[in-house]
């Protein structure tokens, strides 16, 4: 009489790893993502390893591979969560504002604030070589964040969809470039709340120059 193959094995006969002790499946994924974001915030992409993520989550070194395949898979999930959060922040920033200029101004502030408060996550979102570039969920999340800019810019500039996309690219380039420079501390330290406030004040002045709510460009 043949023995029944355990339900914990795949059709190939290879045993499927069970959940780590003390974790349910979803909880372990969340713990590994949180550990990864902490490493990225402290050490950047260069300091990230699956082993360190597992150590911080309190699980075996093999656990991340069971759930995400490899480092790229785990970092891609971090980037997806980042884009989702950024898109939400941009939509919330524009909500309730009286006009398109005010919406775009608020979104610019929200974009850079997100980068300063989540530097590791933000930098990983654009580290294409570390991610699964053809991941459908990653592409969708990235487009959703970009669309939050596009709908406001389209309201501001009108014209053709192509023209709105060009204007949105210009707006995104402005705030993304500022965010990158700010993270490199070109405008001052961002290691504490006081420093971040100073940088955000500088950004506010830049945005007032580019997109003044009154429509009148301030004098230099």
């Amino acid at each position: 009489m043949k023995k029944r193959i355990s339900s914990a094995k795949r059709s190939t006969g290879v045993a499927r790893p069970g959940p780590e002790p003390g974790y349910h499946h979803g909880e372990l994924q969340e713990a590994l993502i949180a550990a990864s974001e902490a490493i990225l915030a402290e050490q950047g992409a260069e300091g990230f390893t699956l082993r360190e993520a597992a150590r911080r989550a309190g699980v075996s070194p093999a656990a991340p591979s069971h759930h995400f395949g490899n480092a790229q898979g785990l970092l891609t999930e971090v980037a997806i969560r980042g884009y989702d959060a950024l898109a939400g922040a941009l939509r919330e920033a524009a909500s309730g504002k009286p006009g398109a200029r005010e919406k775009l101004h608020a979104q610019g502030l929200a974009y850079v604030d997100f980068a300063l408060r989540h530097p590791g996550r933000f930098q990983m979102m654009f580290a294409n070589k570390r991610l699964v570039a053809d991941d459908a969920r990653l592409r969708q999340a990235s487009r959703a964040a970009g669309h939050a800019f596009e709908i406001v810019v389209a309201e501001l500039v009108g014209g053709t969809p192509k023209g709105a996309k060009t204007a949105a690219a210009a707006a995104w380039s402005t705030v993304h470039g500022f965010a990158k420079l700010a993270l490199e501390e070109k405008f001052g330290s961002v290691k504490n709340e006081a420093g971040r406030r100073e940088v955000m004040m500088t950004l506010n002045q830049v945005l007032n120059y580019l997109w003044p709510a009154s429509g009148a460009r301030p004098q230099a």
Side-chain angles (χ1 to χ4, degrees), residues 99-123:
R101 287 181 182 276
E102 289 84 0
K103 291 176 184 178
L104 188 57
H105 188 116
Q107 285 188 332
L109 291 172
Y111 190 98
V112 176
D113 183 68
F114 177 89
L116 297 185
R117 295 189 181 280
H118 308 284
R121 179 192 289 187
F122 180 80
Q123 292 179 11

Side-chain angles (χ1 to χ4, degrees), residues 71-159:
Q72 276 189 314
L74 176 50
L75 293 175
T76 297
E77 188 64 32
V78 170
I80 290 169
R81 302 290 182 92
Y83 278 118
D84 287 344
L86 177 58
L90 294 175
R91 288 192 294 267
E92 183 178 355
S95 177
K97 298 298 183 295
R101 287 181 182 276
E102 289 84 0
K103 291 176 184 178
L104 188 57
H105 188 116
Q107 285 188 332
L109 291 172
Y111 190 98
V112 176
D113 183 68
F114 177 89
L116 297 185
R117 295 189 181 280
H118 308 284
R121 179 192 289 187
F122 180 80
Q123 292 179 11
M124 185 50 60
M125 288 159 57
F126 301 97
N128 293 339
K129 292 182 180 179
R130 301 295 302 271
L131 306 178
V132 182
D134 61 350
D135 185 276
R137 290 175 58 235
L138 178 63
R139 289 198 304 269
Q140 181 180 1
S142 174
R143 287 171 184 162
H147 185 63
F149 262 128
E150 287 175 9
I151 58 176
V152 170
V153 172
E155 180 183 345
L156 176 63
V157 303

Side-chain angles (χ1 to χ4, degrees), residues 18-207:
E20 288 282 316
Y23 278 108
H24 296 296
H25 180 82
E27 291 176 345
L28 176 52
Q29 287 185 330
E30 294 300 321
L32 288 167
I33 290 167
S36 299
E37 291 189 339
I39 296 168
L40 292 170
E42 295 168 14
Q43 304 177 29
E46 298 79 9
F48 176 84
T49 64
L50 279 178
R51 180 174 292 275
E52 177 60 12
R55 186 192 70 78
R56 294 196 184 201
V59 296
S60 69
S65 298
H66 297 335
H67 292 276
F68 299 101
N70 54 26
Q72 276 189 314
L74 176 50
L75 293 175
T76 297
E77 188 64 32
V78 170
I80 290 169
R81 302 290 182 92
Y83 278 118
D84 287 344
L86 177 58
L90 294 175
R91 288 192 294 267
E92 183 178 355
S95 177
K97 298 298 183 295
R101 287 181 182 276
E102 289 84 0
K103 291 176 184 178
L104 188 57
H105 188 116
Q107 285 188 332
L109 291 172
Y111 190 98
V112 176
D113 183 68
F114 177 89
L116 297 185
R117 295 189 181 280
H118 308 284
R121 179 192 289 187
F122 180 80
Q123 292 179 11
M124 185 50 60
M125 288 159 57
F126 301 97
N128 293 339
K129 292 182 180 179
R130 301 295 302 271
L131 306 178
V132 182
D134 61 350
D135 185 276
R137 290 175 58 235
L138 178 63
R139 289 198 304 269
Q140 181 180 1
S142 174
R143 287 171 184 162
H147 185 63
F149 262 128
E150 287 175 9
I151 58 176
V152 170
V153 172
E155 180 183 345
L156 176 63
V157 303
T160 65
K162 183 177 180 180
K165 281 186 175 293
T166 300
W172 177 35
S173 299
T174 298
V175 294
H176 187 77
F178 189 98
K180 294 284 286 183
L181 290 170
L183 289 174
E184 294 171 4
E185 301 199 326
K186 302 301 185 184
F187 304 119
S189 175
V190 293
K191 291 184 172 61
N192 54 60
E193 190 64 30
R196 287 192 289 269
R197 280 199 301 270
E198 288 291 327
V199 170
M200 293 301 291
M201 288 174 62
T202 300
L203 172 63
N204 192 54
Q205 293 171 349
V206 170
L207 297 180

